[in-house]
Amino acid sequence: MVRHADVRDVLADPLFQVPAVPPGDEDGHEGGHEGGGMAWLRGAVSRFSNGAEHARRRSRAVALLAPLDPAELGGQARAEAEEALARPGRVDVMALLARRVPVGVLAVRLGVPAVRREEAVAAVTAIAAAYHPGGERNAAADAAVASLARLLGGPDRERLAAVAGLLVQACDATAGLIGNTLAAVLRPPGEAAPFKEPAVEAPAVEALLAETMRHDPPVRLTRRVAAQDATVGGVAVPSGAVLVLDLAAANRDPAVFRDPDRFDPGRFGADGLPARDGAGHLGFGSGPRACPGERIALALAAGVVSAALGRTPAETAVTYEPSPNLRVPARLELEECP
């Protein structure tokens, strides 16, 4: 499904649910690890649940985020990124900053001791790599769930699931947003940027991030299952049918976005909201299951991107991590502008 209107309608309709995942260990001790393993975690987070259970779990995540100040988090992310980028020579943003800074900053705010922050980043990165259903049993990811539980001081299972879910969402997708934005904006010496040289102030960065979420989103697809017979875009959808929602294609729907294949931050205003075209991107989802951490993710990404805008890519080609659904640069080396 590729039309913007159809994808948006499916995301908003509670009759279309996320595919069920196999139940995890009821005691939360899969694989002998304190706090449970990956199968338990998938069965406990809001991301893979439906109906009242999803609403309850989502509300827990929203409550954890509510006291956090996005501007403060973004400022901390920028300060850390500037410090890392101040070192001479080349810096690989993907290896050093794109996951480490957003996950690390958020992990500490959600209860991980600051002195053990890097352990949390490593654990969340391992969990994120095995998070989606369908993968083989992964002992390292199971151990990472237990490690995160210990770093959080042994919280109850609901809190562990909520915190883990939020940190996973701050990991690969935010790394992809940072990398894809910089890949679109920065050009080596002698190459023209795709638009006028961007301002480095936060409002301009918000527009850059919003256009990246439209033009080159890190999460490309999502799926929904029809809970009963339905109709989408005039097409009958039988109960049990699995719909593949192509978020990347919907974000380039020419019926919604003029010149959709052109990277144009002017589509969005200083607040990241549409300034023209009249529709927003679907990079964070839409409807009742839209990402609850959108403002936090954007603030953390903005901090890193703002710090990196003063440098230039060391290479012109960008390679991407192998993934059927994520678009995340594997490496993005930056160096000081000559």
Side-chain angles (χ1 to χ4, degrees):
M1 188 161 290
V2 299
R3 293 180 58 220
H4 187 280
D6 293 342
V7 172
R8 185 191 59 219
D9 288 349
V10 170
L11 292 174
D13 192 337
L15 292 180
F16 293 97
Q17 302 181 347
V18 297
V21 297
D25 186 326
E26 291 298 323
D27 293 327
H29 292 277
E30 179 201 324
H33 296 304
E34 179 185 357
M38 286 304 305
W40 166 78
L41 181 62
R42 293 189 198 102
V45 295
S46 63
R47 171 68 180 81
F48 304 120
S49 58
N50 290 293
E53 192 67 23
H54 168 261
R56 185 180 65 80
R57 292 172 175 176
R58 178 186 171 88
S59 67
R60 185 73 181 263
V62 170
L64 287 171
L65 295 175
L68 305 185
D69 180 356
E72 183 181 350
L73 296 180
Q76 182 179 346
R78 179 167 184 165
E80 292 185 10
E82 287 176 340
E83 180 180 0
L85 289 164
R87 66 183 63 182
R90 297 181 177 185
V91 174
D92 183 0
V93 170
M94 303 312 297
L96 190 62
L97 300 176
R99 290 182 177 87
R100 178 180 165 270
V101 171
V103 174
V105 170
L106 187 57
V108 171
R109 298 304 176 93
L110 292 178
V112 172
V115 294
R116 304 192 68 183
R117 166 179 156 163
E118 296 305 317
E119 294 175 63
V121 172
V124 172
T125 301
I127 293 169
Y131 190 59
H132 288 274
E136 296 181 1
R137 179 68 179 270
N138 188 324
D142 287 346
V145 175
S147 175
L148 182 61
R150 290 192 293 272
L151 291 169
L152 291 167
D156 64 75
R157 290 189 298 163
E158 287 197 352
R159 183 178 179 87
L160 173 60
V163 172
L166 291 172
L167 291 175
V168 166
Q169 288 178 263
C171 189
D172 290 344
T174 306
L177 175 57
I178 291 168
N180 295 345
T181 300
L182 293 174
V185 172
L186 301 181
R187 289 292 185 273
E191 287 193 20
F195 52 93
K196 293 181 180 180
E197 182 176 356
V200 297
E201 297 301 322
V205 172
E206 293 294 338
L208 295 177
L209 294 173
E211 176 64 350
T212 299
M213 290 298 290
R214 185 202 69 81
H215 184 265
D216 195 13
V219 179
R220 317 296 284 183
L221 307 169
T222 192
R223 289 172 172 79
R224 294 292 186 269
V225 179
Q228 63 186 57
D229 291 347
T231 301
V232 179
V235 177
V237 178
S239 177
V242 178
L243 300 182
V244 178
L245 308 182
D246 191 330
L247 303 175
N251 280 339
R252 295 198 187 192
D253 186 345
V256 177
F257 302 103
R258 290 174 290 176
D259 198 5
D261 294 330
R262 184 166 67 94
F263 186 82
D264 178 13
R267 301 176 198 274
F268 298 92
D271 54 5
L273 297 176
R276 60 174 191 266
D277 292 331
H281 63 75
L282 300 172
F284 286 103
S286 182
R289 301 185 67 95
C291 176
E294 176 177 353
R295 293 177 64 233
I296 299 296
L298 287 172
L300 292 167
V304 177
V305 169
S306 297
L309 285 178
R311 297 177 77 95
T312 188
E315 299 177 359
T316 57
V318 179
T319 59
Y320 294 86
E321 296 179 1
S323 172
N325 190 41
L326 293 172
R327 183 167 163 85
V328 182
R331 189 175 185 84
L332 187 63
E333 288 192 336
L334 303 181
E335 56 190 358
E336 292 178 315
C337 294

